[in-house]
Amino acid sequence: SAGGSGGRQFWLDLKQGVRFVARHRLLVALAIAVGCWQACHQAATVVQILFATRTLGLSEQAIGLCFTGMGVGTVLASVFGNRISRRIGPGPCLLLGFAVCGAGWLLLAVAPANAWGVAAFATMLMMFSTGAVFIFINFLALRQAVTPAPLLGRMTSTMRWLILIPAGPGAL
């Protein structure tokens, strides 16, 4: 039953996950950094679609074609991400992911309303997905490295809601 021992166990597990995350500076720093990234990502998503339709005048099909840039970025980051992370370390690679995403968003901010702007839109999507892969492969690896196996589920659920809380305000 929802109010029985299962409900009590849920709250105990929730508290244990929150306590564990709160006591680890790395997990707190990761939650703050990726939470801020989530807010920026949601804000960028709203603006980039408006830019593509209103400023660039792209059709649904053209926007979809530009979104293939995300696939290219994901494949590139998947191929090279592990090597880059091993070479420079997971923390610097995570920061590189933030920088690549941010540079893509800045590129779109200065994109002209012409064919170069369309190319910038597709490039920004590629940079976003490249950066996101760099962020998340290292985000997941770092948080799992400091978490004992019995706490992985509790830590994961705590980190998920911590990094997704900023997404709503970012979208607004």
Side-chain angles (χ1 to χ4, degrees):
S1 73
S5 65
R8 278 193 298 275
Q9 187 60 46
F10 167 80
W11 291 109
L12 290 172
D13 288 347
L14 178 68
K15 283 189 224 175
Q16 189 177 22
V18 170
R19 258 194 311 271
F20 178 78
V21 168
R23 290 183 181 147
H24 282 80
R25 288 179 39 193
L26 176 65
L27 294 177
V28 170
L30 287 170
I32 291 168
V34 177
C36 289
W37 179 87
Q38 281 286 355
C40 293
H41 164 53
Q42 296 303 320
T45 298
V46 170
V47 172
Q48 70 197 26
I49 293 300
L50 294 174
F51 178 78
T53 56
R54 294 180 181 174
T55 303
L56 296 176
L58 296 178
S59 68
E60 295 88 353
Q61 293 84 4
I63 292 171
L65 187 59
C66 288
F67 266 80
T68 61
M70 287 180 73
V72 171
T74 300
V75 170
L76 285 173
S78 297
V79 169
F80 297 107
N82 190 37
R83 267 185 261 173
I84 293 169
S85 185
R86 275 187 298 186
R87 177 165 288 166
I88 67 174
C93 190
L94 185 134
L95 294 176
L96 176 63
F98 290 139
V100 171
C101 283
W105 294 330
L106 288 174
L107 172 65
L108 196 61
V110 297
N114 57 28
W116 289 108
V118 175
F121 180 66
T123 301
M124 177 276 303
L125 291 168
M126 182 187 72
M127 292 174 74
F128 161 75
S129 62
T130 300
V133 171
F134 287 173
I135 291 166
F136 281 95
I137 61 172
N138 292 288
F139 172 65
L140 296 172
L142 286 167
R143 70 184 205 195
Q144 288 178 348
V146 300
T147 305
L151 289 172
L152 280 172
R154 291 175 208 128
M155 174 278 300
T156 298
S157 63
T158 300
M159 293 296 282
R160 295 260 319 145
W161 62 260
L162 284 175
I163 68 167
L164 291 175
I165 286 172
L172 292 175

